Amino acid sequence: MTWTLDSGREILSHPSEANRDPKPLWGHLTGVSDRAAAAVSEDSKAQPGNSLSEIVQLLGLAHDFAKATPAFQRYIRNESYDSPKHHARLGSLVAYFFLEQNGYERETRLAGLLAVAKHHGDVPDAAKYIRKTFDEPRIDPMGSNQTIQAIKQAKTIEAHAETFARDLFREAVGEGAWDDFLEKIGDASDSPILTDAVEDAGKRGGFAGELEVKPSQFNESIYTTHLILFGALTFADKTDAAGIDSDDNRLSGEFPSLDKLETHLTELGGETQNDIETQLNEVRTKIQDEIPEQTQEFLESNQSVTTLTLPTGYGKTFAGLLAGLTLCDDHDGRLVYALPFTSIIDQTSGTLQEVFETDPSGNLLTVHHHLAETRTDTESEEEEETDEHASHEVLLAESWRTGLTLTTFVQLFESLAGPRNGQSLKLSALQGSTVVIDEPQAIPQHWWPIVGKLIDMLTEQFDAQVLLMTATQPSLVEDSFELISSERLLEIEQSVFTGNPPSRVQYQLHPTALVTENEDRLSHLDAANLLAETVVSGDTTLAICNTIESTRTLTREFVDSISESETDPVAVSELYEAQLDEDEIGGLSATKEYDGKQRPSVERGRLVRAVVEELRTKETVAYLHLTTRVRPCDRQFLLAVANDLAGIDIPFALISTQLVEAGVDISFGTVYRDFAPLDSIVQAAGRCNRSYECAPETGVTTVWKLEPPGEGNTPPSTAVYAPNRSRGETDLLMHTRSVLETVRKEHGTAFADEVLAKDAIERYHDTVGERIHSVSESNDLVTAFEQADGETLREASLIERRQSVEVYVCRTEEEHDSATAIEALMKERKFDEVDSKRDELASIRVSIPVPRANTDAASGILSLEPLVDEEEKRHDPERILHASNSIFDSEFGVQPSEYGVEDRFF
């Protein structure tokens, strides 16, 4: 049947687009209704036990109802119109009516009302939104408020699309429902439905018994229900509007094969350097052999959170993948693998691509982090309806519809806590999923209490299972299932090593490690001299700094120190630059497929040989500087080269920020770590003698405390890790100092790794966890979550940063040509090609926090060529940087004169 206005014109939801016919509104409403219902797990229930799938079906029927006005029908046909075209406000009142008439409780009605009201916006502060949107117009109905306009829209639809309205309301509620709704919506001066909605959200008080909407009337149950409904509705609406068929296999995804992982694990191994490394491989195998059975026990335990705590080098990533896929097989759900930093995603992505023989352009793997979202749209009162223009590729990437998604904590937790509209697309993909949280100790402490609630929401409302895995397990959840207990791990170790495992690392506390005054700290010059002595002696050495400026200063002092006593050191980055091909995009590949398998690339081997040849010719040392100012593609390649160089007998130093600390499979004989929280120190030591390659000797990890670089007054450790007292944060550096003081008294300044890795780190996490959880009730994020304040949660971020500029760093002419081509594609409205170009160039993109106004750094960054040079895009946060610009340096990357603490999270 075709539904029309009284003029005979067909009622459409979306106009015709290239290769797409116009979409009838009835088909869109019923299609979204069915698709949204399918996106919600059958086990997902609202209070008191109602099916969320049935609830969101009603929201789907309601959400675009107001498009049946003549004004909107003229608007989508590019004709002039003389009355409002917005539709979400009336749609929300229709949704409320549908839920009320079908007998749903107060909490469900409010959650559904909000989901439809904001299906083109972001999650709101529920109390503030309902007060402004429904209560104020109820009290003062004068003016052109959208709510008053929505009431008038209902009358307009009665006059011009009565048959359509009656049929739709009959479908959702029953015969006569449209007449009941018209009575309920009333008119501008008296609208019973507004009063009902406000009474659901409000409380009477005062002498006159006035109705007032208060945050205390909302709760966690309303908010979590709202998030599920909101996510399912936005996903269904956008994908249907974009013309993606409901049976498109891109929506269901291809699931990773457990058999392929098991086959890959059986093929690992190869030659070992000593007996201990051979025994370590045996420990890894025994752990992996235990995972399937232990995972089955977890499934039978009625618990929803499990942990995997393994020392560095014990194969945690593969063991976690094995557990995750086993859980996915049981739940028939997706696997979401979350890491703390974008800087370590590349290596994990490479591993996943190799294991499952896939790439992110396929239907199995999505790699999604903050760099995938370069714009933040601000919501206006008059919401624009732009779903039909959305790129399929962007929608699908943001929706996490592949069987395996690799992402960051920022994307996962911010999307769960207070999603923007685009972020909400992924929520339905989390239904019935398995979520692996790798290195949870990296979650900022202010977020610990809310992350605990988000994990509860995942397991209870989303029917998901969560695996927390790390070498240093923090106290994020109260009750969890250990896949490998510490007692069982000891049994495995003792059975393989015939006794306790040998020490892998010896910790050394430098005399400055525990000092508290700036004048007692180690200068970068003295640190560089000590580093130079170690490298010249022949040790492969890693130095980890806390800030980009500290890393840069130490690198320069190291180069000067070497140059005074030796020939100038070999800069690996300079040799890399000489190999870049002007006709290529995204630097050099660390691995390539040869004979059907991923192997180290020819280019990688060529650079390693070039470094060795330079050392042989000059009789000096080699070094590499890495921070997140270096392009992601260059970092990935250079880290692989650094790992190769660290594995051969040459004097080599890597000077880096914390980007090498977690998730990077690299090993050095000696590690220096600037003072940091204890779990970061343990993670740094995980890059030392990782597979016992130094046996029978141990590796050495030295902790020192660096003074402020340059003319600064704040030590790097304090700049990054100082607590924010106003948010109730505890002093992690103080707790670390306390634990290390105790260790020094008991064991001296040099001690074996097991001293920290077991008792000390456990004591540290217990103390920190107690302090954090003791103030969790006053945590502003927890309060917002419990009062359905999505606005506060949406504005919160795991990354404390200023607004950032995304800089496309073009080191080849092909990269520059590709970046500058985006402007023309935008003008031609070829949005799919624009998104493809952005994806192609993602690996050359560097995030730079916008420097303070009126500084050289600000004028340098903001004066760069905009990616889209249109007048209305002048403030677009994307810029193009040619490598010939003085802001770029082949060694240090993009280098404005200011650096931010937040860079460690990029």
Side-chain angles (χ1 to χ4, degrees), residues 850-870:
V850 176
R852 295 175 183 84
N854 303 317
T855 63
D856 290 342
S859 60
I861 289 294
L862 298 179
S863 67
L864 294 176
E865 177 185 359
L867 190 71
V868 180
D869 192 18
E870 299 174 23

Side-chain angles (χ1 to χ4, degrees), residues 820-838:
T820 53
I822 289 179
E823 180 183 354
L825 294 173
M826 285 289 290
K827 289 179 178 178
E828 295 169 18
R829 300 178 66 82
K830 295 181 178 178
F831 300 117
D832 281 353
E833 291 185 42
V834 169
D835 292 323
S836 295
K837 280 286 185 188
R838 281 201 173 97

Side-chain angles (χ1 to χ4, degrees), residues 432-482:
S433 65
T434 296
V435 179
V436 176
I437 301 174
D438 196 354
E439 312 292 1
Q441 77 283 349
I443 297 169
Q445 58 169 307
H446 183 59
W447 273 72
W448 278 27
I450 187 66
V451 165
K453 283 194 169 291
L454 297 178
I455 289 173
D456 287 343
M457 181 176 72
L458 276 172
T459 59
E460 294 170 12
Q461 273 72 44
F462 284 79
D463 191 34
Q465 299 160 116
V466 175
L467 168 60
L468 304 171
M469 61 181 205
T470 180
T472 58
Q473 199 71 244
S475 308
L476 280 177
V477 294
E478 293 182 1
D479 185 33
S480 61
F481 181 95
E482 283 187 304

Side-chain angles (χ1 to χ4, degrees), residues 170-192:
R170 184 186 305 113
E171 178 82 10
V173 178
E175 198 65 48
W178 174 240
D179 293 326
D180 293 340
F181 177 74
L182 289 174
E183 183 177 344
K184 200 73 156 150
I185 201 167
D187 55 38
S189 62
D190 181 19
S191 178

Side-chain angles (χ1 to χ4, degrees), residues 615-666:
L615 292 179
R616 183 179 297 113
T617 302
K618 298 181 178 179
E619 295 185 355
T620 184
V621 305
Y623 76 99
L624 175 64
H625 165 101
L626 282 182
T627 72
T628 51
R629 290 292 187 264
V630 176
R631 306 187 308 174
C633 59
D634 300 335
R635 281 203 313 265
Q636 183 179 18
F637 184 84
L638 290 170
L639 272 172
V641 169
N643 192 43
D644 293 341
L645 293 173
I648 56 182
D649 188 21
I650 63 169
F652 170 63
L654 171 60
I655 305 172
S656 174
T657 55
Q658 306 94 323
L659 68 85
V660 299
E661 226 169 52
V664 176
D665 189 2
I666 195 167

